[in-house]
């Protein structure tokens, strides 16, 4: 077909270039190109620009929100770190206070125990002294009655006067104690 077209044109005498369109095609194409260009320029381009601006504002808003969230997260991390350090310091102080309280409690327990031991010792000494005095009185009366019986056996009479017998026994025991002290 191209061959037939070229042959027809060659027969007419003119050899037009098949790559260059006719002048009426150029005018109509240019006119439609201008109409499409005006429609795109006035309608599509502003809508496209508005959509891009809206998207860029949304992206910038999201970036700002992300930056704000990151700043808040960093502030929260700093606050957490500060609170953790304070908690560790407070725990150390509580631990030291507990140790000091423990030492005080042990010292108080030792003081209480030693005062209780001293009280028990004093009570025991008092009780021992009372028992010693009781034993001494009992011993004196027994020794006195034995001494009176022996003296009565030696003298050959019964000593019935209690006051005199007691005086003799007391004098005898006093002499005995004095001889013990002199021996020491």
């Amino acid at each position: 077909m191209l061959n037939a077209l070229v042959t027809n044109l060659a027969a007419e005498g003119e050899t037009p270039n098949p790559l260059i369109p006719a002048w009426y095609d150029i005018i109509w194409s240019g006119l439609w190109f201008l109409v499409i260009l005006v429609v795109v320029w006035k309608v599509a381009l502003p809508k496209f620009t508005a959509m891009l601006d809206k998207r860029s504002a949304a992206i910038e808003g999201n970036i700002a929100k992300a930056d704000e969230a990151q700043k808040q997260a960093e502030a929260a991390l700093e606050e957490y770190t500060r609170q953790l350090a304070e908690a560790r310091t407070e725990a150390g102080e509580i631990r030291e206070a507990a140790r000091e309280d423990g030492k005080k409690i042990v010292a108080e327990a030792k003081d209480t125990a030693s005062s209780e031991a001293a009280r028990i010792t004093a009570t025991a000494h008092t009780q021992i002294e009372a028992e010693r005095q009781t034993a001494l009185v009992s011993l004196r009366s027994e020794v006195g009655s034995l001494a009176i019986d022996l003296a009565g056996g030696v003298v050959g009479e019964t000593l019935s006067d209690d006051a005199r017998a007691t005086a003799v026994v007391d004098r005898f025991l006093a002499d005995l104690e004095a001889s013990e002290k002199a021996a020491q």
Side-chain angles (χ1 to χ4, degrees):
M1 180 148 143
L2 185 58
N3 201 8
L5 181 64
V6 172
T7 358
N8 281 340
L9 288 176
E12 293 176 8
E14 289 180 30
T15 53
N17 190 351
L19 295 178
I20 298 177
W23 62 270
Y24 58 86
D25 283 337
I26 292 175
I27 291 175
W28 281 110
S29 296
L31 184 65
W32 283 112
F33 178 74
L34 285 177
V35 168
I36 291 173
L37 183 66
V38 167
V39 168
V40 166
W41 189 268
K42 294 290 183 181
V43 176
L45 189 61
K47 287 183 180 179
F48 186 71
T49 306
M51 181 187 69
L52 287 178
D53 289 343
K54 188 176 177 183
R55 258 199 179 162
S56 106
I59 289 171
E60 287 175 3
N62 287 340
I63 288 173
K65 286 179 185 176
D67 287 342
E68 182 65 28
Q70 185 175 3
K71 287 178 184 175
Q72 288 177 353
E74 288 173 356
L77 179 63
E78 288 176 7
E79 179 68 19
Y80 171 74
T81 305
R82 183 186 60 77
Q83 287 178 351
L84 184 62
E86 287 177 2
R88 286 183 178 156
T89 303
E90 187 177 340
E93 290 171 357
I94 290 172
R95 205 172 22 251
E96 286 301 317
R99 284 186 186 136
E100 291 298 320
D101 289 345
K103 287 178 184 177
K104 286 178 184 175
I105 290 171
V106 168
E108 288 174 3
K110 284 182 181 178
D111 289 344
T112 304
S114 69
S115 65
E116 185 66 22
R119 184 189 63 81
I120 290 172
T121 304
T123 304
H125 283 299
T126 305
Q127 186 176 3
I128 289 171
E129 184 61 30
E131 288 178 4
R132 187 176 83 72
Q133 289 296 330
T134 305
L136 188 62
V137 167
S138 172
L139 184 64
R140 279 183 182 230
S141 66
E142 286 181 28
V143 167
S145 65
L146 285 173
I148 289 174
D149 289 341
L150 286 174
V154 170
V155 171
E157 349 179 324
T158 306
L159 298 172
S160 60
D161 187 11
D162 286 335
R164 196 169 18 149
T166 306
V168 169
V169 169
D170 285 341
R171 191 174 23 113
F172 174 72
L173 289 176
D175 288 341
L176 193 68
E177 286 177 7
S179 68
E180 274 185 20
K181 285 182 184 178
Q184 289 179 352

